[in-house]
Amino acid sequence: MGYRPEELLITTIARLLDGVGHVAVGVSSPIPGSAALLQRHLSGGKTQVTVLNSKNLQTLNDGAGELFDRAAQGRIGAFFLSGGQIDGQANINLVGIGDYPRHTVRWSGSFGSAMLYYLVPRVILFREEHTRRTMVEKVDFISAPGTSAEGVYRPGGPYALITSLGLFAFDKTRARFRLNSIHPGHSLEEILDNTGFEFDRDEVIPETAAPSAEWLGLLRGKIAGEVADPYPKFAHAVFGVSA
Amino acid sequence: MGARRKPVTGGPFRATPLSPCGAIACGASIFETMMGRKMPDFDLDALAAMVPDGAKVAIPVSRSGPAVALTRALILRGVKDLHLVAIPTAGIQADMLIGAGCVAVVESAGITLDEFGQAPRFVAAVKAGKIRLMDTTCPALVSGLQAAEKGVPFFPMRGLIGSDLLANRPDYKVIDNPMSDAADPIVLLPAIVPDVAMFHAPLADRHGNVWIGKARELMTMAHAAKRCLVTVEQIIDGDLMGDPLRAPAVIPALYVSAIAVAEGGAAPLALNGYYEADSVALAQYAAMAADEPGFAAWLAGDTRAAAE
């Protein structure tokens, strides 16, 4: 059964959310959001989903701090972060390129990363662009570090990194990524060419599992309708549904 | 500015200069409020005159009702050297002020036009070294205000350790958690006491109470700030504090310094439950503000349109 690249990313991320009690997703993250909604269905509703600032999946009503209070209490099991740069130690940079503060390229800022990355047990790094521009040896600015010194309170941290080319797991003790699988149609050579950091890997690396017909059916049917609430443009472009 | 109304009450409440002493310990007199006053009538220019040059001004995230019409009045008044504190991020409102040369310091977790891309005047000012940056993370801004509303000097927060945010914030301190037997470093954030909090809300009443709906960070801003300036869609008769359904989302007049009516006062941003964002206008801003002459042309056109 044919599928779109977005559908592969959604089903791959959904597997990473297995067993999570509460997933929070940003409003501009349609692929992670769709994965969270798929996982909610697969879990029989055990996985709760909050999509920030959505109409029907918004479970917050106590202001801009409530999400962070929840994270600090351990009420959020998984969250998604990204980075203009991500390095081999899973440090993320959301601020800019060059020397701070007068960066040559300046992005928006660190948002909630410098707290959520420490406190949410499964932080999934998601960045579709997989190039030496984004996957760097060392970030120019650490918005939030991948690991912390012993003794620093850190129940959370990076769990996986998913890009348009492959899926990496993060080994906290080694502070290194391990390439878990390569997406269909891509190769190890392509990943090596486009990655600025070293990573661990086995001799034989499996292909990322294609979405099953059953999951694709779910995604294009029931889930697509739910996705259209917070992500109407995405739902229309990928699944052809209207809100 | 078609939203101006004719005065309905006498005795204008005069804006007094902020106390030179920035500490809460100076006493309640630094907090100017409307409680117990018959609400006078203000227009946007009167509110703009209550924002001194150099003031530390708290502004809300784009979805929670930035006072865009008041921001335009501030730019026309030629305010200088503002220290913007975004709660916890900001968008076109901050970018307008930066582009117009009104800002010296930006304290925020992000400045962005959201789906319309990077905030162009902010990015240009950063590259040119025209503004001092106090970059941080969202919860640190909320917690700084919470320290202020509790009248305590700091608030502890998890996270930040090992980041370059912390490395560039000498005002943040790391201490060893005194409640723990084991070593446990934790960051202390100084209280953020804004000179002015300003935002746009749906409703106020004639006592000076302001209904904010779900945008609870506006409550925290009002509690923390020395002066709170509010624009609203509408002023209604009756008492919002006396309505049990609305009262939990009402900022009592005790915290409110002055209110002006500004219909569409958050536009082109949305006012939750009242109007949607004007995506055509936001896209036009993003395109025009990409360079300085374009921004100047946008600003001239925007203020002309607002005056008509």
Side-chain angles (χ1 to χ4, degrees):
Chain A
M1 194 169 183
Y3 56 86
R4 295 175 60 118
E6 294 92 340
E7 291 172 324
L8 177 80
L9 294 172
I10 291 168
T11 53
T12 305
I13 292 172
R15 277 187 220 102
L16 299 172
L17 297 174
D18 188 31
V20 172
H22 180 200
V23 185
V25 194
V27 78
S28 56
S29 306
I31 289 174
S34 302
L37 291 168
L38 176 59
Q39 164 57 22
R40 179 169 77 167
H41 184 85
L42 295 170
S43 73
K46 280 187 195 147
T47 299
Q48 297 181 67
V49 176
T50 293
V51 178
L52 306 179
N53 311 319
S54 64
K55 285 200 176 74
N56 301 320
L57 295 162
Q58 163 68 291
T59 69
L60 299 152
N61 72 344
D62 199 21
E66 188 183 5
L67 173 75
F68 305 100
D69 293 348
R70 286 189 188 179
Q73 290 178 298
R75 292 182 191 270
I76 297 176
F79 192 77
F80 299 88
L81 288 172
S82 191
Q85 292 177 327
I86 298 170
D87 73 20
Q89 290 77 53
N91 299 310
I92 61 172
N93 174 7
L94 294 158
V95 170
I97 296 174
D99 289 331
Y100 186 83
R102 286 184 72 171
H103 283 302
T104 51
V105 172
R106 169 72 201 207
W107 300 308
S108 306
S110 301
F111 295 88
S113 65
M115 189 212 220
L116 297 174
Y117 209 22
Y118 296 77
L119 299 179
V120 175
R122 266 186 222 186
V123 175
I124 296 164
L125 299 175
F126 176 60
R127 177 80 209 230
E128 281 187 89
E129 182 185 334
H130 189 143
T131 62
R132 285 183 176 258
R133 197 175 78 112
T134 56
M135 303 297 151
V136 300
E137 188 183 3
K138 194 82 202 148
V139 294
D140 289 5
F141 185 96
I142 300 176
S143 286
T147 58
S148 295
E150 201 177 333
V152 173
Y153 182 78
R154 184 141 196 191
Y159 179 71
L161 164 66
I162 180 163
T163 72
S164 59
L165 302 183
L167 171 68
F168 297 80
F170 188 70
D171 183 337
K172 203 157 87 173
T173 53
R174 286 170 56 77
R176 276 169 76 91
F177 285 109
R178 166 175 290 272
L179 181 59
N180 265 15
S181 67
I182 300 169
H183 298 338
H186 300 284
S187 65
L188 175 61
E189 190 182 19
E190 187 183 0
I191 290 180
L192 288 169
D193 283 350
N194 287 288
T195 308
F197 56 79
E198 289 185 0
F199 53 87
D200 295 332
R201 59 190 155 96
D202 291 331
E203 278 297 303
V204 179
I205 304 160
E207 189 170 79
T208 306
S212 66
E214 187 198 347
W215 281 26
L216 281 175
L218 260 176
L219 202 49
R220 292 169 184 176
K222 189 175 165 33
I223 307 301
E226 295 174 0
V227 169
D229 159 28
Y231 310 111
K233 283 181 195 159
F234 179 82
H236 185 72
V238 176
F239 304 119
V241 300
S242 301
Chain B
M1 295 173 196
R4 275 188 202 172
R5 298 178 309 139
K6 292 260 186 289
V8 292
T9 57
F13 165 63
R14 283 179 59 88
T16 48
L18 291 169
S19 160
C21 168
I24 291 176
C26 284
S29 63
I30 64 164
F31 297 98
E32 299 166 352
T33 75
M34 297 181 54
M35 193 177 67
R37 297 167 190 266
K38 201 173 179 188
M39 195 173 76
D41 189 62
F42 294 111
D43 62 17
L44 291 174
D45 294 336
L47 261 62
M50 295 179 204
V51 182
D53 288 352
K56 184 184 283 193
V57 179
I59 56 174
V61 61
S62 292
R63 65 171 179 275
S64 291
V68 177
L70 176 55
T71 299
R72 197 179 289 122
L74 264 178
I75 290 171
L76 286 174
R77 131 154 163 48
V79 71
K80 292 278 175 242
D81 298 328
L82 295 180
H83 173 153
L84 291 183
V85 186
I87 309 299
T89 65
I92 186 172
Q93 182 189 22
D95 207 57
M96 284 166 65
L97 286 164
I98 293 165
C102 304
V103 178
V105 183
V106 174
E107 185 170 359
S108 88
I111 305 291
T112 171
L113 300 184
D114 298 306
E115 65 258 47
F116 301 96
Q118 298 294 334
R121 293 297 91 210
F122 165 71
V123 170
V126 168
K127 289 184 185 176
K130 283 187 181 164
I131 47 176
R132 185 161 75 84
L133 294 172
M134 296 174 74
D135 270 292
T136 186
T137 185
C138 298
L141 290 152
V142 178
S143 294
L145 288 185
Q146 287 173 326
E149 74 177 346
K150 291 173 200 308
V152 295
F154 57 81
F155 214 93
M157 197 189 87
R158 292 301 189 187
L160 277 170
I161 294 170
S163 73
D164 284 333
L165 295 172
L166 180 63
N168 286 282
R169 288 296 300 259
D171 54 331
Y172 288 1
K173 309 289 181 199
V174 181
I175 64 154
D176 199 25
N177 171 7
M179 304 295 171
S180 170
D181 294 331
D184 179 21
I186 186 165
V187 177
L188 301 185
L189 312 158
I192 298 171
V193 185
D195 295 314
V196 177
M198 58 181 250
F199 49 82
H200 185 72
L203 299 176
D205 65 23
R206 296 187 193 286
H207 307 283
N209 302 306
V210 176
W211 183 74
I212 56 171
K214 277 170 72 174
R216 300 287 304 181
E217 54 276 346
L218 302 181
M219 185 79 79
T220 314
M221 287 166 59
H223 289 176
K226 296 176 195 169
R227 183 180 281 176
C228 181
L229 306 178
V230 184
T231 59
V232 294
E233 291 295 311
Q234 192 189 353
I235 293 179
I236 60 167
D237 293 323
D239 180 4
L240 287 164
M241 285 293 282
D243 175 348
L245 290 180
R246 278 175 169 153
V250 170
I251 299 175
L254 171 73
Y255 300 101
V256 179
S257 312
I259 299 170
V261 173
E263 284 173 39
L269 296 169
L271 185 62
N272 195 8
Y274 281 73
Y275 41 88
E276 299 288 324
D278 182 345
S279 53
V280 174
L282 288 168
Q284 187 185 30
Y285 177 84
M288 289 185 75
D291 59 39
E292 211 164 320
F295 173 77
W298 177 87
L299 189 61
D302 181 65
T303 48
R304 199 164 48 238
E308 278 164 8

